[in-house]
Amino acid sequence: MSPRTSPISRPITIRRAVARDAKRLTRLVRGSAAYEGKYAAAVAGYRVGPDYIDAHRAFVAVGADEHEGRVLGFYSLVLAPPELDLLFVADEAQGRGIGRLLVAHMQSEARAAGLDRVKVVSHRPAEDFYHRVGAVRIGTALANPPAVPWDRPTFEFRIPSE
């Protein structure tokens, strides 16, 4: 297996994001290869600040055995209205199951908060990922120029009660 498609070989911990993670999360968003080319403008000035982390349920996946727990990915769950606002996995860590772990964690958090559905307005290159992790396509979010000049697929995670 190539490093990009090998399963997780080191322990991964998912923890609540804290203010000191803000710069790392911003770099992860702005540096995402999924936002190269025509998509670059969408994240060029994007900032995940301490205020954002405080206002939402943001969680990071970190390599448990690496120095200071390197951030491998993160997500943010908004409760009202229920939405998976952000989900990013570091380019070099993709294909190892980290995105799937983050989605499973998000579903647990949503269930604990009493949610039965969580909406996702996806980035087109992530559409296949959302299908693979069980999201159901429910529509299309229309372009909103100049911020987002393209239509985006909209998905929903259905959160069963346990």
Side-chain angles (χ1 to χ4, degrees), residues 21-155:
D21 293 320
K23 287 182 182 177
R24 288 188 275 185
L25 302 185
T26 296
R27 281 194 301 271
L28 203 153
V29 170
R30 290 182 184 176
S32 174
Y35 283 90
E36 292 178 338
K38 71 178 184 177
Y39 299 115
V43 296
Y46 201 89
R47 179 179 168 270
V48 180
D51 53 337
Y52 180 90
I53 291 169
D54 287 343
H56 304 293
R57 291 187 182 204
F59 290 85
V60 296
V62 295
D65 63 342
E66 298 178 33
H67 179 66
E68 294 186 25
R70 185 172 155 262
V71 174
L72 301 172
F74 78 101
Y75 77 87
S76 173
L77 176 63
V78 176
L79 297 181
E83 184 173 359
L84 177 60
D85 188 39
L86 298 172
L87 173 64
F88 281 85
V89 175
D91 292 340
E92 67 276 6
Q94 290 183 9
R96 298 181 186 170
I98 295 166
R100 189 173 292 276
L101 283 173
L102 288 168
V103 165
H105 191 275
M106 178 277 299
Q107 290 173 313
S108 290
E109 285 293 313
R111 187 177 300 107
L115 304 177
D116 64 352
R117 297 170 190 270
V118 175
K119 178 181 168 183
V120 180
V121 178
S122 177
H123 176 52
R124 277 193 185 158
E127 189 170 1
D128 287 341
F129 167 77
Y130 285 114
H131 280 294
R132 286 192 310 272
V133 296
V136 176
R137 177 118 187 224
I138 59 169
T140 301
L142 299 178
N144 184 20
V148 183
W150 54 85
D151 293 346
R152 294 158 293 154
T154 303
F155 292 90

